[in-house]
Amino acid sequence: MAETYVLGWHLPWPLPLVAASVAGAVLAIAIGSFALRPRRRDFQATVMLVVSIIASTLVVTEQGWFNGNQGLFGIPQPFASPLNLSVLGYAWFFVGIVLVVTILVFVLVDRLAGSPWGRRLRAMRENADAAESLGTSVRAESLKVFAIGGCHRGPQRRAAGGVPRRLVPGGVG
């Protein structure tokens, strides 16, 4: 029996990870378009808090989207059938997959931080007005960083449900 998940879809692995990355980036751009508008960081934090409360309320109240308070359960475990591992063996296998992906993301972020774009981001962090006077669009660059973070956060949330095979609205931060 095929389980249905987000919006009633059932996609073979690794398409859910790709979809989670794309959805995370799109949502980050949509939210960042208005959340990054205030220059002061405390206002941005307030906007993000309000957005998270609205999102949590929508997830819990809209049963057809993410199964409401019950969350997602029976999440398929990639490679579980062909490997024929015990529950504990699969848990360690999954830790290995997450570790490899984490190392790859770390290397990518480290390379981005050492690139000219990373230097531009550091300059924006240190003095946004000076960076803007040199022709850098602080808002556009901040939105790019926000989208990259959202792209990374989508699959990360999927990984949280990998071994327990369940995600509930209040379960993982």
Side-chain angles (χ1 to χ4, degrees):
M1 175 178 140
E3 297 287 335
T4 57
Y5 302 103
V6 178
L7 302 174
W9 293 346
H10 179 71
L11 302 172
W13 194 85
L15 289 180
L17 293 179
V18 174
S21 288
V22 170
V26 168
L27 285 172
I29 290 170
I31 292 169
S33 67
F34 63 87
L36 296 176
R37 191 161 296 176
R39 292 283 289 202
R40 290 184 41 190
R41 297 292 181 194
D42 54 343
F43 290 155
Q44 289 177 357
T46 304
V47 169
M48 292 305 297
L49 177 64
V50 170
V51 167
S52 70
I53 291 170
I54 291 170
S56 296
T57 304
L58 279 173
V59 165
V60 170
T61 57
E62 291 297 326
Q63 293 289 326
W65 291 1
F66 304 101
N67 203 19
N69 260 342
Q70 298 300 315
L72 304 176
F73 55 90
I75 298 172
Q77 297 176 323
F79 309 117
S81 298
L83 292 176
N84 217 7
L85 297 172
S86 67
V87 174
L88 184 61
Y90 184 79
W92 281 109
F93 172 74
F94 197 76
V95 165
I97 290 174
V98 171
L99 182 65
V100 167
V101 170
T102 301
I103 290 170
L104 290 173
V105 168
F106 177 79
V107 168
L108 174 69
V109 169
D110 187 53
R111 293 201 47 141
L112 285 175
S115 71
W117 185 61
R119 290 192 294 274
R120 183 181 318 144
L121 294 178
R122 278 193 297 283
M124 285 173 26
R125 182 188 63 207
E126 297 299 325
N127 191 342
D129 293 330
E132 245 179 40
S133 71
L134 293 173
T136 299
S137 173
V138 172
R139 187 161 185 270
E141 296 298 324
S142 297
L143 196 57
K144 286 179 194 174
V145 172
F146 212 65
I148 290 171
C151 186
H152 173 67
R153 180 67 173 143
Q156 180 186 17
R157 187 71 173 137
R158 163 51 180 102
V163 174
R165 300 186 65 199
R166 130 166 247 192
L167 284 175
V168 292
V172 179

